[in-house]
Amino acid sequence: MSIGYFPKTLVNSHSLYPTSLLTSPSSIPPLHSPSLNNFISPGRKNLVLRSKYTDCITEQQSDTASMDLKEEFKKEIKNALYPHIEPYSTGMLKVSDIHSIYWEQSGNPDGHPVVFLHGGPGGGTSPTNRKFFDPEFYRIILFDQRGAGKSTPHACLVENTTWDLIQDIEKLREHLKIPEWQLFGGSWGSTLSLAYSQAHPDKVTGIVLRGIFLLRKKELDWFYEGGAAAIYPDAWEEFRDLIPENERECFITAYHKRLNSENLETQYEAARAWTMWEMKTAHLIPNEDTIKRGENDEFSLAFARIENHYFINKGFFPSDSYLLDNIERIRHINTVIVQGRYDCCCPMMSAWDLHKAWPEAELKIVADAGHSANEPGTAAELVSANEKLKSIIKNM
C-alpha cells in the first residue's frame, strides 16, 4: 500500500477533493497518486494568488482571507482524521512511590495495539489524539507522562527523567498485557519513541514519527536562544522580555530559575511566557485555539516546568548524538517519518539528519505545514502512515 493512500472509509465519509474536481471524475487523481499530496483547492489557490498583490488588498480583505484560510484548514483536518470516539477503559497506574500515570484505551479491544507518546514533555494527551487511528483495526492506548495531564502529582519534577518514562511505558505495556505494540510520537514524542524503541526493540512492531526532535544542543539553541526569533520576532520579544538583559546569555537557564521559584506566581508568569512562545510558533498559520492553551495556568505550569527540566538536563542522554548513534538497534523496524517543511519548533534539519542515518525509514515532507500534528497535510500523512503499517501487519 502506498504511503499516499487514504483509507476508503475516510474518503467516503469526507471528500478530500475540491468541488471543482468532483464535478469532473476524469480529473480526480487515483488514491495512490503523488498529486494527492499537493492539490490546491480553489479557495486556497485564490488566497495564494491574492497574496502576490498585497498592495491591492485592504487590511479588512486580508483579515477575511486569513479567516477563510483558517476555516478551510479546519475542514481539511476534519476530512483527514477518523471520527471522535470515547475510551472503553481508563485507569491510573502507580509507577513509583511518587508518581501515578493516567491511561486510557479506545478503538478495538482485540485490535493491534498502538501507544501514543505525547509531546512536550509535559504536554499531556487530548481526545483528538485518538483520531489518527482506525478504531476498527487499532487498540489505541493514550497515557499522560509523569507530571502531565491527568497524571499525578501535577508538574512534579522529582523522579522525572527520560529513563523513568521508558520504564513507565514498559510497566503500562505489562499492566495491559500487551506483548508488543506500535509507537506513534511527535515532537518530544518522537524523542521518547526513539529512546524507548532503542531500549526495547523487541517490543515494537512499527513506528510513526512526526516533527523530529533529537534534543541536541543546536536544536535547543535554535528555538530558545534566538534562532526561531528570526521567523517570529514579535512572539520572541514577549518570551525574551520577561528575562532581564543581564540574564539573557542562556534563556533556558534563566527560565529554569523562575519556573522553580518558591513564589508560585513567579512560576505561573514564567510558565505562561514559555508556553505561549511555543504555542504561537507551532502552526504555519497561527491557531487561536492552540495559543489559548498558553493562557491556562494549570496546563502551562506542567508544560513549561517539565520541558525546561528535561532541556536543562539535555534529555538525560549520555551524549548529544545519543539517538542517532543508536539507530542500528532499530534499523529493522518499519518506520515512517512525517515532517513539516516549515516547522519552526523542530526544524527539518533534525528529520533530515535522522533520515540520513536511517534511510530505511520513509521520510514524508509536508510542503505546507509547520510543527503541529493538527495541520491538514500533516494530519493526512500521519493517518496515511498508520494505514501503511496497518497494511503491513495485515499481510504478515
Side-chain angles (χ1 to χ4, degrees):
M1 182 186 301
S2 167
I3 190 60
Y5 170 86
F6 285 80
K8 189 175 290 185
T9 54
L10 294 182
V11 176
N12 288 342
S13 60
H14 303 290
S15 173
L16 289 166
Y17 299 97
T19 305
S20 60
L21 287 180
L22 292 176
T23 58
S24 178
S26 62
S27 66
I28 300 176
L31 286 177
H32 62 273
S33 170
S35 64
L36 182 61
N37 295 327
N38 301 312
F39 80 82
I40 299 178
S41 70
R44 185 184 297 178
K45 183 176 181 181
N46 289 339
L47 291 175
V48 171
L49 290 175
R50 290 180 64 186
S51 71
K52 296 179 180 178
Y53 303 99
T54 52
D55 290 344
C56 304
I57 300 174
T58 67
E59 184 176 346
Q60 182 178 3
Q61 288 174 317
S62 178
D63 289 344
T64 301
S66 178
M67 289 299 295
D68 289 345
L69 185 56
K70 289 175 183 177
E71 287 304 312
E72 182 184 346
F73 274 20
K74 287 181 181 179
K75 291 177 183 177
E76 289 186 32
I77 280 286
K78 187 176 180 181
N79 291 345
L81 300 176
Y82 283 96
H84 174 77
I85 54 174
E86 290 293 329
Y88 62 78
S89 69
T90 64
M92 298 291 292
L93 177 64
K94 190 169 181 62
V95 291
S96 78
D97 291 339
I98 297 174
H99 292 274
S100 295
I101 60 171
Y102 167 81
W103 59 267
E104 64 172 58
Q105 297 187 95
S106 57
N108 181 354
D110 299 316
H112 185 77
V114 58
V115 60
F116 181 98
L117 302 181
H118 68 68
T125 57
S126 69
T128 57
N129 300 149
R130 308 169 195 144
K131 294 184 176 184
F132 293 105
F133 311 97
D134 179 353
E136 295 183 2
F137 179 80
Y138 282 109
R139 177 183 173 184
I140 307 159
I141 297 102
L142 274 58
F143 78 96
D144 292 332
Q145 296 158 28
R146 294 191 182 199
K150 298 177 183 177
S151 295
T152 59
H154 183 70
C156 178
L157 306 182
V158 179
E159 294 181 6
N160 198 338
T161 73
T162 303
W163 310 109
D164 291 318
L165 300 188
I166 289 173
Q167 289 180 14
D168 292 351
I169 297 170
E170 272 298 275
K171 289 174 182 175
L172 180 61
R173 183 187 63 77
E174 292 169 357
H175 176 72
L176 297 176
K177 297 179 171 56
I178 295 172
E180 55 185 12
W181 50 9
Q182 180 179 316
L183 305 182
F184 183 104
S187 193
W188 159 256
S190 75
T191 320
L192 187 57
S193 294
L194 290 168
Y196 171 81
S197 61
Q198 289 175 4
H200 301 281
D202 58 320
K203 307 303 181 189
V204 180
T205 62
I207 310 173
V208 175
L209 302 172
R210 188 265 316 163
I212 300 304
F213 181 39
L214 302 174
L215 225 157
R216 296 171 296 175
K217 184 180 184 300
K218 67 178 181 180
E219 296 167 71
L220 295 174
D221 286 348
W222 159 262
F223 194 63
Y224 292 107
E225 304 300 337
I231 312 298
Y232 289 96
D234 45 353
W236 172 256
E237 284 189 5
E238 297 174 11
F239 175 81
R240 179 199 66 193
D241 289 352
L242 183 71
I243 306 301
E245 288 189 14
N246 64 348
E247 294 185 57
R248 292 179 184 174
E249 183 178 342
C250 179
F251 283 94
I252 292 177
T253 299
Y255 268 91
H256 184 263
K257 174 183 174 181
R258 289 156 179 79
L259 290 167
N260 291 276
S261 169
E262 293 182 359
N263 185 310
L264 187 58
E265 186 49 46
T266 299
Q267 289 189 32
Y268 280 136
E269 183 183 27
R272 286 190 294 268
W274 177 283
T275 304
M276 195 66 78
W277 165 237
E278 185 161 339
M279 298 301 106
K280 287 184 175 181
T281 56
H283 290 252
L284 183 62
I285 305 297
N287 182 287
E288 292 302 321
D289 292 337
T290 297
I291 292 171
K292 285 178 182 177
R293 296 188 78 192
E295 300 171 359
N296 182 309
D297 282 346
E298 182 179 13
F299 170 77
S300 291
L301 191 65
F303 185 80
R305 273 174 56 84
I306 298 172
E307 268 201 346
N308 180 274
H309 168 67
Y310 274 71
F311 299 166
I312 205 164
N313 286 288
K314 303 176 182 177
F316 303 93
F317 292 123
S319 68
D320 195 55
S321 58
Y322 178 81
L323 294 174
L324 290 177
D325 293 341
N326 287 280
I327 288 299
E328 200 59 42
R329 298 181 184 178
I330 57 174
R331 193 174 297 281
H332 63 285
I333 300 175
N334 290 313
T335 300
V336 180
I337 302 166
V338 177
Q339 178 70 36
R341 167 70 74 177
Y342 301 107
D343 188 336
C344 278
C345 300
C346 298
M348 195 184 130
M349 63 179 177
S350 298
W352 190 252
D353 289 345
L354 182 61
H355 167 65
K356 298 297 284 186
W358 194 9
E360 295 84 359
E362 183 167 9
L363 173 62
K364 299 293 291 184
I365 300 169
V366 185
D368 58 351
H371 181 64
S372 176
N374 297 313
E375 295 182 87
T378 301
E381 287 293 353
L382 290 171
V383 170
S384 166
N386 283 327
E387 288 297 305
K388 176 180 181 179
L389 295 186
K390 181 177 83 173
S391 177
I392 291 172
I393 294 164
K394 280 186 169 183
N395 292 324
M396 289 176 65

